[in-house]
């Protein structure tokens, strides 16, 4: 699910990679496509400013510094790829008493490993993916780890139905279609039922408070650490003293040695002029979360400034494929008024869902976003047409995991190995798992496949009924 669309991971790679393997993959990718000659390492971008003739040329003056030497260069277009995680967010003002706290406090960005916290009592603030990982890891050596969460979160295992990786099992067009057809209330209720199957989140102090979005993290270790007492879940912090922490529920934890702020990051583009910094402060203020709409020439793009429900790397790659075609003039953008109108519509859609567009809570559906950008690029797979021309491939594209290879089946950048790579992706999922050969492996029945095929028309009719008719007659809908 993480690989680039024309460069699959080597066979035998784990489904969830250690960071060293991901780094090796990126290095191999750069070597394969001979990118090293175009990458300037240890170079700081000092400023990106409009060329004096920007209105006519769309060019940018980029000033850089390396080894104490500054130089300027003129570029026809600029892609900013620093992403969302630029500056650590350390909201000390939101925690009264933290300045008089005598222990150590740091941002998770500074955290390296659990060894430096051996035998200590540590508080982790924030129950996002980072907070959950840090709390679970530190609890292996710490005397006690406390995890403070303001709103709670659903905790999911990487292992899904029948042992399949979670993202492989649920990131598919079939599931996505059901989600969009069902009314939002029923869809949300179904998701929370699924998320709560692993363990009772209320018993573990993790149940999320009612909100318009559904907070969730992937963490296989955290529930067991809580069960063993190595991690203790606490509510939001009310106040710090010199050595203790007072929580909103009135409880106090004494002799705290360290506090780790897993409080996220703040986007930052200090090299841009002030007007552009303001325009790019929030990704929802950009067209397709990429282009600043007010520029006379659309030669500046913000890549990776998004949060999707799936892997970031395929989304970033697809953004780059579209942006380069926009820069070349192959995919011209609409007029400025239309860009602003679509941005306003996207914000209004979020407002109707009760999600503030200026917060870091907005996570776009992976498949919806990929399909949107793919439509702009001309590479979205045509499932109905595939049903007529290649039913086997159509079945895998619709019911199988929505991997990046689907966006190499047609259009610009079409890759001849895309079809084979899609049809063999389940084999690559199992390859690193089946390290003990069992010759008498039982054969799986094809009954479930036929059930899916013949049950689809009936399921579609039911979903359309839910979508377009009042639901007051259902006993569980209030």
């Amino acid at each position: 699910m993480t690989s680039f669309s024309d460069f699959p991971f080597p066979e035998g790679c784990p489904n969830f990679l250690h960071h060293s393997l991901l780094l090796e993959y990126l290095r191999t990718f750069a070597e394969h496509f001979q990118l090293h000659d175009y990458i300037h390492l240890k170079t700081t971008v000092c400023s990106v400013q409009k060329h004096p003739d920007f209105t006519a040329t769309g060019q940018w003056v980029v000033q850089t510094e390396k080894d104490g030497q500054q130089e300027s260069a003129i570029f026809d277009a600029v892609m900013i790829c620093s992403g969302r995680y630029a500056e650590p967010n350390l909201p000390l003002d939101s925690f009264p008493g933290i300045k008089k706290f005598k222990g150590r406090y740091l941002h998770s960005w500074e955290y390296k490993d659990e060894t430096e916290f051996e035998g200590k009592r540590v508080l982790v603030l924030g129950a996002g993916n980072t907070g959950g990982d840090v709390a679970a890891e530190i609890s292996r050596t710490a005397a006690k780890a406390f995890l403070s969460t303001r709103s709670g979160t659903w905790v999911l295992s990487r292992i899904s139905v029948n042992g399949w990786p979670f993202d492989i099992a649920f990131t598919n067009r079939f599931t996505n279609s059901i989600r969009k057809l069902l009314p939002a209330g029923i869809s949300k209720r179904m998701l929370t039922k699924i998320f709560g199957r692993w363990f009772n989140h209320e018993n573990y102090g993790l149940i999320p408070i009612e909100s318009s979005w559904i907070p969730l993290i992937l963490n296989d270790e955290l529930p067991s650490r809580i069960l063993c007492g190595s991690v203790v879940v606490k509510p939001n912090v009310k106040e710090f003293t010199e050595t203790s922490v007072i929580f909103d529920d009135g409880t106090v934890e004494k002799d705290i040695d360290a506090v780790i702020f897993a409080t996220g990051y703040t986007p930052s583009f200090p090299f841009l002029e002030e007007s552009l910094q303001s325009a790019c402060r929030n990704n929802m203020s950009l067209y397709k979360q990429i282009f600043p709409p007010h520029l006379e020439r659309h030669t500046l793009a913000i890549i990776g400034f998004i949060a999707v429900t799936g892997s970031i790397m395929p989304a970033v790659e697809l953004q780059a494929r579209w942006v380069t075609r926009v820069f070349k003039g192959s995919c011209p953008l609409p007029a400025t008024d239309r860009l602003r109108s679509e941005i306003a519509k996207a914000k209004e859609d979020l407002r109707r869902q009760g999600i503030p567009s200026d917060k870091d809570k907005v996570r776009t559906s992976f498949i919806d976003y990929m399909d949107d950008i793919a439509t702009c690029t001309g590479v979205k797979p045509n499932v109905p047409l595939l049903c007529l021309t290649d039913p086997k491939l159509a079945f895998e594209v619709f019911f199988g995991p929505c991997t990046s290879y689907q966006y190499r089946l047609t259009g610009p950048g079409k890759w001849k190995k895309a079809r084979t790579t899609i049809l063999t992706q389940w084999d690559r999922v199992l390859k690193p798992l089946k390290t003990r050969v069992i010759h008498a492996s039982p054969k799986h029945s094809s009954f479930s496949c036929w059930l899916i095929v013949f049950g689809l028309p009936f399921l579609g009719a039911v979903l359309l009924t839910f979508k377009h008719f009042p639901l007051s007659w259902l006993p569980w809908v209030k």
Side-chain angles (χ1 to χ4, degrees), residues 122-355:
V122 183
L123 171 65
V124 179
L125 293 172
N129 279 297
T130 300
D133 287 344
V134 170
E137 188 171 281
I138 279 182
S139 69
R140 301 171 192 165
T141 60
K144 183 74 74 174
F146 302 92
L147 178 63
S148 171
T149 174
R150 176 178 300 169
S151 56
T153 184
W154 295 106
V155 182
L156 306 183
S157 172
R158 291 177 176 84
I159 304 173
S160 182
V161 181
N162 293 328
W164 293 107
F166 180 84
D167 52 353
I168 287 284
F170 287 98
T171 310
N172 59 73
R173 296 180 182 278
F174 175 63
T175 303
N176 195 57
S177 299
I178 293 177
R179 178 188 62 81
K180 291 195 291 185
L181 281 171
L182 287 173
I186 292 180
S187 177
K188 182 178 179 181
R189 205 168 302 173
M190 289 175 60
L191 286 175
T192 55
K193 287 287 187 183
I194 293 172
F195 297 159
R197 284 177 183 171
W198 188 20
F199 64 93
N200 188 317
H201 284 63
E202 185 174 359
N203 291 345
Y204 282 64
L206 291 168
I207 190 76
I209 62 174
E210 188 66 27
S211 64
S212 301
W213 57 84
I214 303 177
L216 60 89
I217 64 174
L218 287 178
N219 196 308
D220 293 291
E221 190 177 3
L222 182 61
S224 65
R225 305 307 296 178
I226 296 172
L227 194 62
C228 296
S230 304
V231 174
V232 177
V233 179
K234 304 294 290 186
N236 191 44
V237 171
K238 179 181 180 181
E239 184 182 359
F240 285 92
T241 68
E242 291 184 349
T243 59
S244 304
V245 183
I246 304 171
F247 297 93
D248 279 347
D249 61 358
T251 58
V252 179
E253 293 296 342
K254 299 179 180 180
D255 301 322
I256 299 297
D257 298 298
V259 179
I260 300 177
F261 285 80
T263 46
Y265 294 79
T266 302
S268 177
F269 307 102
F271 41 80
L272 291 177
E273 55 194 60
E274 183 57 36
S275 62
L276 273 172
Q277 286 190 46
S278 300
C280 300
R281 197 157 285 146
N282 179 261
N283 61 314
M284 296 306 298
S285 297
L286 306 175
Y287 179 64
K288 305 294 186 186
Q289 305 183 52
I290 299 174
F291 289 101
H294 67 286
L295 293 176
E296 304 94 325
R297 297 274 182 168
H298 299 295
T299 55
L300 177 70
I302 316 297
I303 302 295
F305 193 33
I306 54 172
V308 291
T309 56
S311 175
I312 186 68
M313 284 173 52
V316 166
E317 181 201 15
L318 197 51
Q319 284 183 328
R321 290 173 63 190
W322 178 43
V323 166
T324 52
R325 292 184 61 76
V326 171
F327 288 165
K328 288 170 58 180
S330 304
C331 296
L333 296 184
T336 301
D337 289 345
R338 183 176 167 190
L339 299 185
R340 295 182 185 275
S341 174
E342 291 200 24
I343 292 171
K345 181 178 181 299
K347 289 184 176 181
E348 177 62 20
D349 289 343
L350 289 175
R351 188 193 66 79
R352 288 176 181 172
Q353 299 174 49
I355 303 175

Side-chain angles (χ1 to χ4, degrees), residues 36 39-44 65-66:
H36 287 293
I39 299 173
H40 296 234
L41 298 173
K42 299 181 180 179
T43 302
T44 301
E65 181 179 340
K66 183 176 184 179

